[in-house]
Structure formats: structure tokens, C-alpha cells
């Protein structure tokens, strides 16, 4: 693979390969330049973000134009070049650009946004304001780049901090605003004792309300004073082509410190107590832009956007998980159950192995679901129930196919054994000569059926029930008609076989319920384990966000406890229902067993199959 060349910054900041790509641009209204146009996406850039599975951290570089925003965005990638730099008074970056290869950093994918300068007098001011609001809403770290003097003409859109609720309707809980980092560029004064205090003091001279707004909305933020790179103005116009050694050492030191601080303190973009993935962030971004493009609405409603994203991700996740389940079940089963030849792969027809396959895939799907899903615990439980219903529908289809294949396979075996041992002696040229021969043939047939058919299989029970209902009765009728069995004995034997048929049918139902019970228990164990893992992840996210609101923390704990209680209650209710059904079936089975025991003494003591070999030693 060809290694990309670039102007490396060094100083311990990793060099990131790639190139810039425009994420969003502003298209002016051609009919009236004073009217607000609209923001448009580059789908190629959105696709890059969508494909990110894990948490994303969004660092937006915003502020005055011609103040080195793009160069600083390059240094975050460990390089001088990349995002285009301007060497004239005209703004260079238009819209929002991002790096086409988001990079890994401490378990997050870092997306650096290089944003158009927002104090250009030639800009549409509505566009500039909406760009500022958009970057505040979508970023997890908001880097504001401005002149170190902090004069009236330098604060750009910071005056909007006076009352952010005019532009952004916040959620009632959780933090939603990003961490703010202020870069005081070309700072030539003597360093103050505290840059943060200095910045607030200078801003207060210019706009007291903005200062109070920043204190209110950004209780914890960083300020870095960065001197000029060098004295030579000609060289300043070509910063992307210079090497780090050409820059003043104090400038390099302070830039490096700021970059390391921004990267090391970066956090994922959160939606309540869940991290955003590339897919959920893309949806959030699209929804925000759609609202800002609406000229009748200038306020972003964060709760509304959150709900939209949560629902979108849930439906997308459920759809994908069903696809994963279905495709994996087909992949596992088609090679066996779907075989068109006469070769039967017995291991996959065994219900224990079949359910093991289901549980393996079910576990994988649940893990995938809980990794992707976002929302509060109540929402997650509701979505998981929706997923479970759809999985159950798919499972029933596979179960039906497997049951039919099992029945067909066992029936083929049983019919061959019947033909070889019994039917062959029911023709006019080879009739059983007496009852003993018939008894022996039936005994051999039932022994071979017990040894050959798949064990612990409801389908095997049903096949034997069918034989006792049809083939046995036909054989008895034939032998009675030719005098091998006397009328009274034939009727007693027929009654015996009919009772055994009912016993076997009930026994098949019992096995089905027991299989369902084991399946349901295993599924709930997986759901509970993954749900607990999700709760732990959300608790860690709350801790990471440094949320101290007691009411919020108590409500979150209440939601968790309620969701777990509902999960356990649902499991217990379904398990108890199955237990009741099994108890009823066992009683029916015992009733038929008692009837069979009562018939046995009435039949001739020499009848060898009176106590069916297939039914075992119960009688």
C-alpha cells in the first residue's frame, strides 16, 4: 500500500493519513441574497460517518476567519497541511469540512470539523448564526478560536451565549452542551496568572451578558493563550508548507499543549446516558440541519431531536438484528435441513442441537442489539420486546420446517421398519399363522423403532401415535378377518392401542412444552445479562459526564430498578404459565397411563405387546 506523504507536525502528536472532505455547505437563495438559503450535505461524507460502529467524539473548530482555525485543525491530525489554508483576507473554508479518515483515540473515533469563519461581513448573518448554533449542538468539544485581545470586534458570535435557549431548547436532564475550549490566538501580552479569568474579564468589558451566559452554560472550560507563530509575515502565509522547526518554540509548545489537552479530555457525543455511534450521530446531524433549514423555526429542540434519533436507531437496529438472526439461521440450517438429496443429517434434527443453534444466534443478536440501542431503560425494554416478538415469528418458521423434516425423516424410518417386520406378513401369500408370530413381529418393530427413531423427539411420539391409530388397527382388523385374532381379544387389543395412541399424543405435547420451557429460560438469561451490561455502560456514561443532579440520578436508578423488575416479572409470568401447562399435560398423561394399566389384565396374558415396548416400563 502506498504511504501518504504529508507535512508532519511531530511533538508527539500522531500523524493521521487522509484528506479533507466537505461535510456541509451553505447554498444561498438565488432569488434574494438577503433571504436565508439552506444547508446541504455531501452524502459521501455522511457515509463515512455512518459506517462508524463505536462511539464518536466530535471536535468542532469555530470562530473568526483568518485566525488559523484550519491550521489548528490540521495539527489535531499531527500535520501542518490538510485542511486548506488561506493567504488572503478572503475566507478559505466555506461550510464545514471533516477528515475523510476519522481516527481512533482511546476507544473513540475522532471527527474533527473545520468550520467556516463566522464573523465575515460578507456572510449571510442568519447562516453564520445557524452555523454557530449547529456546531454547539452537534459537537462534544467546541473549540472557539479568536483574537487574543478579545475586543468588541473579536468575540464573533459569543454574544449568542447571552441566552442560548433562544436558539437551543435544552433537555430537562443530562448535559447536552459540549466542553468548550477557547484559543486566544496571536497573544502578545504578558501571560496572566489564569487565562480563563483573563478571558472572562476581557469578555465582560465587551459583553457582560455573554460572560454570564458562558459561566452559566459552560461551568468548566479551558482557555489557552497562543502567541504568534513567527515574526516573518511572508512565511505566515505558508504555514502548511513550513516545518515545525521554522516556528517559534513557545508557539509550538503552547499549540502542542492545547492539542494534547483537547484530545485527552475529549468525550464521546452523548444522547442522554448513551454514546452516539456514527449512525446515530448522522441522524442527529441531519435532523438538526433539517430544523435549521426551516425558516419558520430558528430554535433547535434537543429533546425532540433525541427522540427522533432514539426511534430511528431502534427501528434500524431491530431490522438489522432480525436480518442477522434470519440469515445466520438459514446459513446454519440450510446445508442440512435444506438438502434435496436423500442424505439426512441427523444431528441437526435433534431438538437439543437445534435449540443450541438458535440460542447461539439469539445470544449474538441480543449482544448486537444492546450494543447499538440507545434510550432510557424503559424504552430499551420496549424495543427489546418488539425485537423478541419478531425473532419468535422467525423462529416459529424455522421450527416448523425442522419439525416437518424430523417427522418426515422419522416416518420414513418407521414405515420401513413396519413394512419389513409387519406389513410383509399381512399379504395373502404370507399371512401370520398365529397370534404368537404377530406378537413377535410387533415386539421387534417396537424395539427397532425405539432404537432407530430420534429420541426425546415429539415427532417420534406422534409417529407412533399415528401407527397405533392407523397401521395397528388395520393389522388387527386384517388378522381378525382371517381368524388369527378372535373378536373379543381383537377389540381389547384395539382399545389398548387407541389408549396408547392418546398417551403418546399427550406425551408429544409434554415434550414440546418442556423444550419451550428450556428455550425460554435460556433466552431470558441472555436478555438479562446483556441488559445488565447495558445498565453498567449507561452508569459509566453518567459518571463520565460528571452528572451531579441528585433528582436525575435518583430517577435513573428508579428507571433501572423498574425495568429489571418488569423483566423479571415477565419472565416469571411466562415460566409459570408454561409450568401450569406442563402440569396439566402430565396429569392427562397419567390419566391415560392409568387407563392402559386397567386394560392390560383384560387382555390374554400371552400377548407379548400388551405393555408396549415403545412406552417402556411404565406399565
Amino acid at each position: 500500500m502506498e504511504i501518504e506523504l504529508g507535512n508532519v507536525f511531530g511533538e508527539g502528536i500522531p500523524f493521521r493519513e487522509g484528506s479533507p472532505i466537505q461535510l456541509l455547505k451553505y447554498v444561498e437563495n438565488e432569488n434574494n441574497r438577503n433571504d436565508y438559503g439552506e444547508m446541504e450535505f455531501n452524502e459521501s461524507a455522511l457515509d463515512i460517518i455512518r459506517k462508524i460502529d463505536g462511539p464518536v467524539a466530535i471536535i468542532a473548530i469555530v470562530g473568526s476567519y483568518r485566525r488559523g482555525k484550519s491550521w489548528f485543525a490540521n495539527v489535531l491530525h499531527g500535520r501542518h497541511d490538510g485542511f486548506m489554508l488561506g493567504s488572503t483576507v478572503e475566507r478559505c473554508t466555506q461550510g464545514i469540512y471533516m477528515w475523510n479518515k476519522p481516527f481512533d483515540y482511546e476507544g473513540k473515533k475522532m471527527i474533527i470539523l473545520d468550520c467556516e469563519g463566522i464573523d465575515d461581513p460578507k456572510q449571510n448573518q442568519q447562516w453564520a448564526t445557524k452555523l454557530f448554533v449547529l456546531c454547539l449542538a452537534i459537537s462534544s468539544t467546541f473549540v472557539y478560536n479568536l483574537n487574543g485581545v478579545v475586543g468588541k470586534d473579536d468575540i464573533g458570535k459569543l454574544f449568542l451565549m447571552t441566552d442560548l435557549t433562544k436558539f437551543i431548547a435544552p433537555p430537562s436532564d443530562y448535559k447536552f452542551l459540549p466542553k468548550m475550549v477557547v484559543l486566544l490566538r496571536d497573544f502578545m501580552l504578558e501571560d496572566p496568572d489564569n487565562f480563563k479569568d483573563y478571558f472572562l474579564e476581557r469578555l465582560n468589558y465587551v459583553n457582560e451578558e455573554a460572560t454570564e451566559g458562558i459561566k452559566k452554560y459552560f461551568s468548566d472550560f479551558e482557555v489557552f493563550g497562543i502567541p504568534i507563530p513567527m515574526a516573518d509575515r511572508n512565511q505566515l502565509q505558508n504555514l502548511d508548507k513550513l516545518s515545525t522547526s521554522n516556528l517559534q518554540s513557545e508557539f509550538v509548545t503552547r499549540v502542542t499543549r492545547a492539542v494534547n489537552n483537547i484530545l485527552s479530555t475529549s468525550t464521546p457525543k452523548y444522547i442522554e446516558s448513551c454514546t452516539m455511534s456514527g449512525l446515530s450521530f448522522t441522524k442527529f446531524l441531519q435532523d438538526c440541519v433539517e430544523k435549521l433549514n426551516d425558516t419558520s423555526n430558528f430554535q433547535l429542540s434537543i429533546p425532540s431531536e433525541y427522540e427522533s434519533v432514539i426511534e430511528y436507531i431502534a427501528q434500524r437496529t431491530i431490522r438489522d438484528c432480525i436480518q442477522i438472526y434470519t440469515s445466520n439461521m438459514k446459513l446454519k440450517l440450510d446445508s442440512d435441513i435444506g438438502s434435496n438429496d436423500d442424505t439426512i443429517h441427523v444431528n441437526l434434527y435433534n431438538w437439543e442441537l437445534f435449540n443450541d443453534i438458535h440460542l447461539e444466534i439469539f445470544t449474538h443478536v441480543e449482544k448486537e442489539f444492546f450494543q447499538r440501542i440507545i434510550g432510557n431503560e424503559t424504552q430499551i425494554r420496549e424495543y427489546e420486546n418488539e425485537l423478541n416478538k419478531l425473532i419468535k415469528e422467525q423462529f416459529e418458521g424455522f421450527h416448523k420446517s425442522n419439525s416437518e423434516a424430523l417427522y418426515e425423516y422419522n416416518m420414513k424410518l418407521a414405515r420401513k421398519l413396519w413394512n419389513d417386520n409387519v406389513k410383509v406378513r399381512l399379504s395373502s401369500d404370507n399371512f401370520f399363522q398365529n397370534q404368537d408370530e404377530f406378537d413377535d413381529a410387533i415386539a421387534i418393530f417396537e424395539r427397532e423403532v425405539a432404537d432407530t427413531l430420534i429420541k426425546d423427539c415429539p415427532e417420534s411420539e406422534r409417529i407412533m401415535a399415528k401407527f397405533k391409530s392407523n397401521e395397528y388397527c388395520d393389522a388387527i382388523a386384517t388378522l381378525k378377518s382371517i381368524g388369527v385374532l378372535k373378536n373379543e381379544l381383537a377389540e381389547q387389543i384395539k382399545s389398548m392401542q387407541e389408549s396408547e395412541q392418546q398417551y403418546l399424543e399427550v406425551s408429544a405435547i409434554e415434550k414440546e412444552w418442556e423444550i419451550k420451557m428450556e428455550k425460554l429460560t435460556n433466552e431470558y438469561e441472555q436478555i438479562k445479562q446483556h441488559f445488565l451490561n447495558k445498565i453498567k455502560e449507561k452508569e459509566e456514561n453518567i459518571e463520565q459526564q460528571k452528572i451531579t443532579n441528585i433528582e436525575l440520578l435518583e430517577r435513573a436508578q428508579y428507571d433501572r430498578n423498574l425495568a429489571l423488575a418488569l423483566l423479571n416479572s415477565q419472565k416469571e409470568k411466562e415460566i409459570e404459565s408454561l409450568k401450569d401447562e406442563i402440569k396439566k399435560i402430565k396429569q392427562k398423561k397419567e390419566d391415560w397411563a392409568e387407563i392402559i394399566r386397567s386394560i392390560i389384565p383384560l387382555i390374554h396374558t400371552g400377548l407379548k405387546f400388551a405393555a408396549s415396548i415403545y412406552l417402556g416400563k411404565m406399565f
Side-chain angles (χ1 to χ4, degrees):
M1 178 184 294
E2 183 179 349
I3 299 177
E4 179 187 349
L5 300 178
N7 191 353
V8 178
F9 182 82
E11 302 301 312
I13 302 172
F15 176 84
R16 311 293 180 180
E17 295 182 358
S19 58
I21 181 173
Q22 189 168 39
L23 171 64
L24 179 148
K25 66 180 179 179
Y26 172 67
V27 179
E28 292 184 333
N29 188 325
E30 294 181 359
N31 296 325
N32 188 343
R33 293 178 65 86
N34 294 321
D35 288 347
Y36 180 69
E38 65 177 16
M39 292 177 262
E40 292 183 358
F41 285 109
N42 176 2
E43 285 297 325
S44 296
L46 287 180
D47 285 341
I48 292 171
I49 302 175
R50 280 194 193 97
K51 293 175 182 177
I52 300 174
D53 288 332
V56 294
I58 314 298
I59 300 177
I61 317 295
V62 184
S64 305
Y65 81 117
R66 306 302 307 121
R67 287 291 175 187
K69 288 187 291 74
S70 298
W71 181 84
F72 189 82
N74 286 335
V75 179
L76 285 167
H77 294 89
R79 53 198 298 159
H80 293 276
D81 58 353
F83 293 110
M84 188 181 299
L85 310 186
S87 58
T88 70
V89 295
E90 299 297 328
R91 68 184 188 274
C92 183
T93 304
Q94 296 187 355
I96 299 177
Y97 279 77
M98 59 173 276
W99 207 243
N100 70 346
K101 294 182 180 179
F103 59 89
D104 294 306
Y105 190 91
E106 296 181 352
K108 308 177 292 289
K109 280 288 188 183
M110 310 296 290
I111 300 175
I112 314 297
L113 302 181
D114 180 23
C115 303
E116 178 179 335
I118 54 175
D119 59 356
D120 184 348
K122 297 180 181 180
Q123 275 179 318
N124 180 296
Q125 289 308 298
Q126 280 197 56
W127 153 240
T129 299
K130 291 192 175 187
L131 177 63
F132 181 87
V133 170
L134 177 66
C135 289
L136 268 180
I138 67 173
S139 62
S140 52
T141 301
F142 184 79
V143 180
Y144 198 82
N145 190 79
L146 77 161
N147 189 346
V149 176
V150 196
K152 182 178 180 181
D153 297 329
D154 302 310
I155 66 170
K157 295 297 180 184
L158 286 181
F159 73 88
L160 298 176
M161 298 294 189
T162 301
D163 187 4
L164 279 179
T165 57
K166 289 181 179 179
F167 308 99
I168 302 176
S172 59
D173 48 23
Y174 295 98
K175 295 181 177 179
F176 78 99
L177 287 172
K179 174 188 175 180
M180 188 167 75
V181 176
V182 176
L183 302 180
L184 301 178
R185 301 300 296 269
D186 301 339
F187 190 81
M188 301 294 291
L189 304 175
E190 182 179 346
D191 282 0
D193 293 335
N194 185 296
F195 269 104
K196 182 176 178 180
D197 292 342
Y198 165 81
F199 167 70
L200 290 174
E201 180 182 345
R202 294 296 304 166
L203 183 62
N204 196 57
Y205 287 142
V206 178
N207 191 317
E208 293 183 12
E209 291 81 4
T211 305
E212 291 305 312
I214 287 177
K215 289 179 181 179
K216 176 182 178 180
Y217 297 114
F218 300 93
S219 58
D220 181 24
F221 66 95
E222 302 277 354
V223 180
F224 294 92
I226 298 177
I228 60 172
M230 60 181 62
D232 190 334
R233 293 178 62 86
N234 292 326
Q235 285 191 309
L236 282 176
Q237 296 175 4
N238 299 289
L239 272 180
D240 56 336
K241 297 179 178 63
L242 298 178
S243 67
T244 304
S245 61
N246 294 132
L247 306 176
Q248 294 190 71
S249 60
E250 182 63 19
F251 172 78
V252 172
T253 298
R254 295 202 182 190
V255 167
T256 302
R257 185 185 303 150
V259 167
N260 286 332
N261 176 274
I262 290 169
L263 292 177
S264 63
T265 60
S266 65
T267 62
K269 181 64 179 173
Y270 289 101
I271 181 165
E272 297 179 347
S273 59
C274 297
T275 57
M276 284 192 184
S277 65
L279 184 63
S280 53
F281 174 73
T282 302
K283 173 62 175 172
F284 179 63
L285 173 60
Q286 289 176 306
D287 285 353
C288 287
V289 168
E290 181 181 353
K291 289 293 171 58
L292 289 173
N293 275 337
D294 183 357
T295 56
S296 65
N297 173 46
F298 204 93
Q299 188 188 54
L300 275 180
S301 173
I302 299 301
S304 296
E305 307 314 323
Y306 280 179
E307 287 303 312
S308 173
V309 173
I310 288 169
E311 179 65 22
Y312 171 80
I313 292 300
Q315 297 308 318
R316 177 75 175 259
T317 299
I318 290 170
R319 185 195 71 190
D320 290 349
C321 284
I322 291 299
Q323 177 62 35
I324 291 171
Y325 177 81
T326 304
S327 60
N328 276 277
M329 285 292 283
K330 285 181 177 178
L331 186 66
K332 288 278 189 178
L333 301 177
D334 277 357
S335 59
D336 296 297
I337 294 175
S339 177
N340 292 320
D341 58 26
D342 292 332
T343 304
I344 303 294
H345 302 262
V346 177
N347 61 323
L348 283 185
Y349 290 124
N350 181 295
W351 280 120
E352 181 180 356
L353 292 177
F354 180 89
N355 284 328
D356 283 348
I357 291 171
H358 159 74
L359 184 61
E360 176 189 348
I361 297 170
F362 180 86
T363 302
H364 171 66
V365 167
E366 287 293 317
K367 181 179 180 181
E368 191 73 21
F369 171 81
F370 279 103
Q371 283 178 343
R372 296 189 191 185
I373 200 69
I374 55 179
N376 61 42
E377 282 79 359
T378 302
Q379 289 172 316
I380 291 173
R381 277 295 301 133
E382 290 174 353
Y383 292 132
E384 203 284 327
N385 278 336
E386 185 177 341
L387 171 67
N388 236 338
K389 288 178 182 176
L390 294 173
I391 287 179
K392 185 178 180 181
E393 290 176 7
Q394 295 297 316
F395 174 82
E396 291 299 331
F398 289 114
H399 183 279
K400 182 173 181 291
S401 296
N402 191 55
S403 179
E404 289 172 352
L406 264 172
Y407 188 88
E408 180 183 351
Y409 170 71
N410 282 330
M411 178 59 81
K412 186 181 294 186
L413 292 176
R415 198 167 296 285
K416 184 176 188 306
L417 293 174
W418 177 265
N419 291 341
D420 291 348
N421 292 287
V422 183
K423 189 175 181 179
V424 70
R425 301 293 308 279
L426 293 174
S427 60
S428 58
D429 58 346
N430 194 25
F431 273 126
F432 290 109
Q433 297 300 307
N434 52 55
Q435 179 183 330
D436 285 343
E437 287 186 2
F438 180 54
D439 293 346
D440 289 339
I442 291 292
I444 293 170
F445 167 71
E446 294 199 352
R447 260 198 309 271
E448 291 185 354
V449 164
D451 292 340
T452 307
L453 268 62
I454 297 176
K455 297 175 177 59
D456 298 321
C457 170
E459 289 74 16
S460 297
E461 306 282 303
R462 287 201 168 90
I463 286 167
M464 280 306 298
K466 183 177 185 302
F467 267 80
K468 288 183 178 292
S469 173
N470 298 332
E471 279 76 1
Y472 276 56
C473 290
D474 290 346
I476 291 169
T478 298
L479 294 180
K480 185 175 77 169
S481 68
I482 63 173
V484 173
L485 292 178
K486 301 195 181 304
N487 288 344
E488 183 179 355
L489 179 60
E491 290 304 316
Q492 290 174 341
I493 295 173
K494 181 181 178 183
S495 176
M496 174 79 166
Q497 299 311 318
E498 289 173 348
S499 298
E500 288 189 1
Q501 171 206 344
Q502 293 295 328
Y503 177 91
L504 287 165
E505 287 178 352
V506 172
S507 180
I509 296 173
E510 179 189 25
K511 280 188 171 67
E512 286 178 341
W513 284 112
E514 288 174 343
I515 290 170
K516 282 184 181 179
M517 170 85 84
E518 183 179 4
K519 170 181 171 289
L520 186 65
T521 301
N522 290 335
E523 286 178 353
Y524 267 108
E525 288 304 313
Q526 290 301 322
I527 293 170
K528 185 175 181 179
Q529 184 58 54
H530 289 303
F531 191 50
L532 289 172
N533 290 342
K534 189 67 176 185
I535 288 175
K536 182 179 179 182
E537 174 195 315
K538 286 164 66 68
E539 288 175 340
E540 290 172 352
N541 289 339
I542 289 175
E543 184 178 346
Q544 180 76 15
Q545 293 180 78
K546 300 179 181 178
I547 294 172
T548 57
N549 185 313
I550 299 300
E551 182 181 350
L552 169 61
L553 294 174
E554 288 178 346
R555 186 167 73 252
Q557 185 63 49
Y558 173 80
D559 288 342
R560 286 192 290 271
N561 292 340
L562 178 61
L564 281 172
L566 290 173
L567 174 63
N568 290 328
S569 174
Q570 183 178 353
K571 173 188 174 183
E572 290 170 3
K573 184 178 179 180
E574 292 192 41
I575 293 294
E576 285 304 313
S577 176
L578 281 175
K579 285 182 178 178
D580 288 343
E581 292 296 331
I582 291 173
K583 184 178 180 181
K584 293 175 185 177
I585 291 297
K586 283 185 179 295
Q587 184 58 54
K588 285 184 179 180
K589 183 178 174 183
E590 180 57 34
D591 291 344
W592 282 111
E594 188 59 37
I595 292 172
I596 293 170
R597 292 190 193 98
S598 69
I599 296 174
I600 290 174
L602 303 177
I603 303 177
H604 189 276
T605 55
L607 186 62
K608 296 175 183 175
F609 64 93
S612 172
I613 293 172
Y614 187 79
L615 295 177
K617 298 179 180 179
M618 174 167 281
F619 314 118

